[in-house]
Amino acid sequence: PSEIPGGKGDGVPVSSLAETAGTPIVGMLVGAPETAVLLGTAGGNALRAKLENFVTTRSAGKQFVGIDGDDALLVPFVVPAGAREVAALSSEGKLLVFPLEEVPELANGGKGVMAIKLHEGEKMLGIVPVAGALNIAAYGRGDKRTTIAVNAGSLEHYRGTRARSGRVLQAFHKRVEGFE
């Protein structure tokens, strides 16, 4: 442990970048305060925010995304300037592409909105801004790891509105792992 640089001489020890109380860090983002970020949970919820909304003066940090029970935060993504859609992927291999504007921007955080409808035991593996083709990590015949490429022209098949179940990926696979 070391002391906080620029502190007031109170000798507060620091053992990590952030005191997480055992909660795993799922991602780190660096950028200008106005950088847009897309956040999602395994329970199927999503929200947008700007990096400036994560700043706090409290040393204990700030709870930004509401998580229930066994839900978990997914890897956050920076929303590129040209992105107009997002893609949500479920553990059952269902993909749903819908307009980015259907995901609200919440300055104070919260639970967000349902991005993809999930069935019993199903989880959302990821939600990403769409800027062209999508690559999805999967396991196919013989448990070989493969990449399912969904090019921009194929996205039409998976387009819909938020809170729908999505469509099963057309490429053969045993299970999907998430976006690459």
Side-chain angles (χ1 to χ4, degrees), residues 151-163:
N151 60 35
S154 300
L155 288 176
E156 184 61 37
H157 178 73
Y158 303 102
R159 284 195 174 101
T161 57
R162 180 188 64 74

Side-chain angles (χ1 to χ4, degrees), residues 37-98:
V37 178
L38 179 64
L39 303 159
T41 67
N45 290 338
L47 62 106
R48 289 184 297 151
K50 291 195 175 9
L51 281 182
E52 65 192 0
N53 301 133
F54 295 103
V55 176
T56 182
T57 57
R58 296 177 32 198
S59 62
K62 178 178 185 179
Q63 180 177 346
F64 197 81
V65 179
I67 305 281
D68 291 332
D70 62 347
D71 202 359
L73 187 65
L74 300 174
V75 175
F77 283 91
V78 171
V79 179
R84 299 288 176 252
E85 295 178 306
V86 295
L89 178 67
S90 82
S91 58
E92 296 297 318
K94 294 177 185 168
L95 181 65
L96 177 65
V97 177
F98 58 93

Side-chain angles (χ1 to χ4, degrees), residues 3-178:
E3 289 192 12
I4 297 173
K8 297 178 184 171
D10 53 8
V12 177
V14 175
S15 59
S16 68
L17 176 65
E19 198 56 52
T20 64
T23 304
I25 295 174
V26 296
M28 298 181 90
L29 300 166
V30 177
E34 63 277 359
T35 302
V37 178
L38 179 64
L39 303 159
T41 67
N45 290 338
L47 62 106
R48 289 184 297 151
K50 291 195 175 9
L51 281 182
E52 65 192 0
N53 301 133
F54 295 103
V55 176
T56 182
T57 57
R58 296 177 32 198
S59 62
K62 178 178 185 179
Q63 180 177 346
F64 197 81
V65 179
I67 305 281
D68 291 332
D70 62 347
D71 202 359
L73 187 65
L74 300 174
V75 175
F77 283 91
V78 171
V79 179
R84 299 288 176 252
E85 295 178 306
V86 295
L89 178 67
S90 82
S91 58
E92 296 297 318
K94 294 177 185 168
L95 181 65
L96 177 65
V97 177
F98 58 93
L100 177 64
E101 65 193 24
E102 292 183 13
V103 178
E105 185 172 309
L106 303 177
N108 294 319
K111 290 185 78 162
V113 295
M114 182 188 300
I116 187 169
K117 181 179 178 181
L118 301 172
H119 299 288
E120 181 95 21
E122 192 175 14
K123 294 186 180 275
M124 184 164 72
L125 297 177
I127 185 163
V128 297
V130 176
L134 296 173
N135 289 321
I136 299 167
Y139 286 87
R141 294 184 178 107
D143 282 331
K144 287 189 177 183
R145 189 174 185 287
T146 184
T147 298
I148 299 171
V150 181
N151 60 35
S154 300
L155 288 176
E156 184 61 37
H157 178 73
Y158 303 102
R159 284 195 174 101
T161 57
R162 180 188 64 74
R164 302 283 188 229
S165 291
R167 291 188 159 191
V168 176
L169 289 165
Q170 292 178 331
F172 177 82
H173 64 278
K174 285 186 178 178
R175 70 180 188 277
V176 293
E177 293 290 310

